[in-house]
Amino acid sequence: MSRALHKLSARFVETASQPKRYGDGGGLYLVVTSKSSKRWVFMFRWRGKLTEMGLGSAVEGSSRYKSLAAARQEAASLRSLLAADINPLEAARAAADEQAAIPTFGEFADAYVALMIKGMRNLKHRAQWETSLGTREINIARVKKDAVVATKEHIRALTSLREKRIDKVETEDVLRVLKPIWLVKNETATRVRSRIENVLDAAKAADKRSGENPARWRGHLNKLLPKSNALVRGHHAAMPYEEVPKFVAGLRKRHAMAARALEFTLLSAARSNETLAMTWAEVDLTKQLWIVPKERMKAGKEHRVPLPERACEILRELEPFAESAKSVVFIGPKGGPMSNMAMPNVLKRAKAAGTVHGFRSSFRDWAGDETSFPAEVIEAALAHAIPNKAEAAYRRKDALEKRRKLMEAWAAYIGSEGSELQELDTAA
């Protein structure tokens, strides 16, 4: 190997056209086939055998272009390997194999989501996980018109993120995904950020990347993204609890089945899907109790709901229409379960603020501000899971009788406007 280094000049590399191999020293050679075909090679002896190793193109603009300075830097690194008795060619192949083993963000996210959704009972949540990370195609046609442009931009950024190697994902990649929807669809954006963070944390645990998580919120993205006023308690717009009694008074004047379902949902502080799928087999009017099976509960645990007297009145009113114990309580116009849009439509027609799910926040705020019931009793009424595993292990009781008093107090409060009850119009 020649001791003299840096024999060539950048000008010579650019203009050389005669087919030949030109040495730069230290094992680095410029191989010219024609003026438009030039490449760098590194020549070295390994165990007595002369070996040639390609380093890339010397023609500017080509896909694997490498300047004279870059070629010299790589040749110096290869000479260091030789000095350490390491075969440069074998080392390069091993590095290439290692890089090939690192998946793209999309590949890793797909595997991660497939694993995570196995433990999810709610099909809607499973679909949300898949669409938020691009595992399932997003239907832009379903997006509100005022957000279509932002959503298209978001999808392009998400597609670009999925194609990037997961160890190369940086803060700017995450921001490109979030910014188009951060203000117009903040709840969605917040979930997307959290799920990207989970995927990148998992990749780090699997030794597929290192360093800080670029999707981390506290102390990182919260300094780079604007605050949004779209966020409300529980991520659902909630009617102030002071306005609920007046709303309920108006609700009781409505004759439709959906109005009864909505009032029952308020009285029980239940989730919409729990009310809509409720069957007569789950109800014990004698004990004034509704037992929601674990399969329909978000926490995957059976939930006993103490029913205030007004909730039982609604059920007694509907009981004559029950065909069997398996029949749903709140029947839709076609005889099956009521549509999940029925209760929101009642709100819409009443021009009321908030959402159906938001009434749970109204209940939580009322109970915390206006009563002396312990927080754990209020949380149990909402069927919230206990985040502390040690506390959950010891708190095996569900405080049913304490919750019964709480729900009776809530029923008395929201019925305090004293409106007269209207007879149910079963046809409606």
Side-chain angles (χ1 to χ4, degrees):
M1 189 180 293
S2 174
R3 293 182 179 274
L5 296 176
H6 303 175
K7 297 178 180 179
L8 305 179
S9 68
R11 176 65 179 167
F12 178 82
V13 173
E14 182 183 355
T15 58
S17 59
Q18 184 179 351
K20 190 177 177 181
R21 188 168 66 190
Y22 301 91
D24 184 57
L28 178 63
Y29 290 86
L30 172 67
V31 178
V32 178
T33 305
S34 67
K35 188 173 183 178
S36 59
S37 178
K38 308 171 189 178
R39 60 191 176 90
W40 298 108
V41 299
F42 182 71
M43 304 289 294
F44 65 97
R45 287 192 177 276
W46 184 256
R47 305 295 186 251
K49 181 181 178 181
L50 185 63
T51 305
E52 179 181 302
M53 180 177 176
L55 303 185
S57 173
V59 179
E60 190 171 356
S62 58
S63 59
R64 294 186 63 236
Y65 169 69
K66 191 164 288 182
S67 67
L68 174 59
R72 285 171 174 171
Q73 185 175 0
E74 185 168 355
S77 298
L78 298 177
R79 288 194 295 271
S80 297
L81 291 176
L82 285 170
D85 199 33
I86 298 173
N87 186 326
L89 195 57
E90 291 178 0
R93 287 169 179 166
D97 290 343
E98 184 179 348
Q99 293 300 314
I102 298 176
T104 64
F105 178 89
E107 291 168 343
F108 192 90
D110 290 351
Y112 179 80
V113 170
L115 181 64
M116 289 298 104
I117 65 175
K118 286 182 179 178
M120 296 180 186
R121 294 170 299 279
N122 190 310
L123 294 179
K124 181 180 177 182
H125 292 164
R126 294 176 66 161
Q128 286 175 343
W129 264 87
E130 292 173 330
T131 54
S132 64
L133 294 174
T135 300
R136 176 187 290 188
E137 185 177 356
I138 301 172
N139 188 345
I140 300 179
R142 294 180 183 174
V143 180
K144 292 181 179 179
K145 291 181 180 179
D146 61 355
V148 168
V149 174
T151 304
K152 285 182 177 179
E153 186 182 344
H154 158 72
I155 292 174
R156 283 196 294 269
L158 182 59
T159 301
S160 177
L161 174 66
R162 285 179 57 82
E163 293 171 351
K164 194 161 189 175
R165 234 176 56 185
I166 199 161
D167 62 328
K168 300 296 183 183
V169 174
E170 299 176 351
T171 300
E172 191 55 40
D173 300 307
V174 180
L175 287 174
R176 273 195 291 269
V177 172
L178 299 179
K179 282 181 177 180
I181 57 172
W182 187 252
L183 294 178
V184 294
K185 298 175 75 64
N186 187 270
E187 182 182 350
T188 299
T190 301
R191 289 175 177 170
V192 170
R193 184 212 62 78
S194 176
R195 288 163 187 167
I196 292 175
E197 181 181 22
N198 289 341
V199 170
L200 295 176
D201 276 344
K204 185 176 181 179
D207 290 329
K208 301 301 182 183
R209 63 174 288 120
S210 59
E212 292 294 324
N213 192 322
R216 189 181 76 253
W217 176 249
R218 191 180 298 275
H220 186 54
L221 291 185
N222 67 328
K223 306 296 183 183
L224 301 173
L225 289 167
K227 292 182 179 180
S228 171
N229 294 323
L231 283 175
V232 293
R233 188 184 184 104
H235 304 305
H236 292 269
M239 180 182 295
Y241 68 81
E242 297 90 347
E243 299 176 15
V244 176
K246 184 177 180 180
F247 171 76
V248 170
L251 188 64
R252 290 180 177 181
K253 294 177 181 178
R254 294 179 177 271
H255 304 282
M257 181 75 76
R260 292 294 185 271
L262 180 55
E263 185 183 354
F264 181 88
T265 302
L266 265 74
L267 288 160
S268 57
R271 298 178 177 90
S272 297
N273 64 314
E274 294 162 8
T275 299
L276 294 175
M278 177 186 184
T279 65
W280 287 105
E282 300 166 9
V283 178
D284 188 333
L285 284 173
T286 303
K287 294 181 179 179
Q288 296 191 215
L289 193 66
W290 170 30
I291 301 178
V292 189
K294 63 181 182 180
E295 292 78 15
R296 292 218 317 278
M297 293 303 299
K298 186 175 181 180
K301 182 180 179 181
E302 181 184 274
H303 181 48
R304 298 196 298 170
V305 183
L307 298 174
E309 181 57 34
R310 172 55 190 154
C312 291
E313 287 177 13
I314 294 173
L315 295 179
R316 292 189 190 102
E317 189 179 358
L318 297 174
E319 195 172 20
F321 308 105
E323 295 182 358
S324 70
K326 294 182 180 180
S327 301
V328 292
V329 174
F330 298 100
I331 306 167
K334 296 182 179 179
M338 189 178 292
S339 164
N340 60 4
M341 290 305 297
M343 289 191 282
N345 283 339
V346 173
L347 276 171
K348 186 177 180 180
R349 285 192 290 270
K351 297 181 180 179
T355 61
V356 177
H357 194 88
F359 283 115
R360 285 167 55 84
S361 291
S362 305
F363 166 76
R364 179 66 183 85
D365 289 341
W366 166 83
D369 293 349
E370 304 292 340
T371 78
S372 58
F373 286 94
E376 58 266 25
V377 173
I378 301 170
E379 293 301 308
L382 291 165
H384 283 163
I386 303 171
N388 187 306
K389 292 184 178 180
E391 182 182 354
Y394 284 103
R395 198 196 299 170
R396 298 184 185 278
K397 300 288 185 180
D398 63 358
L400 180 65
E401 293 310 313
K402 291 181 180 179
R403 288 191 289 120
R404 187 178 296 281
K405 293 178 181 178
L406 170 62
M407 301 316 293
E408 287 289 0
W410 171 242
Y413 174 74
I414 65 175
S416 60
E417 287 286 324
S419 62
E420 293 185 5
L421 306 181
Q422 297 297 311
E423 184 178 348
L424 175 66
D425 181 353
T426 54

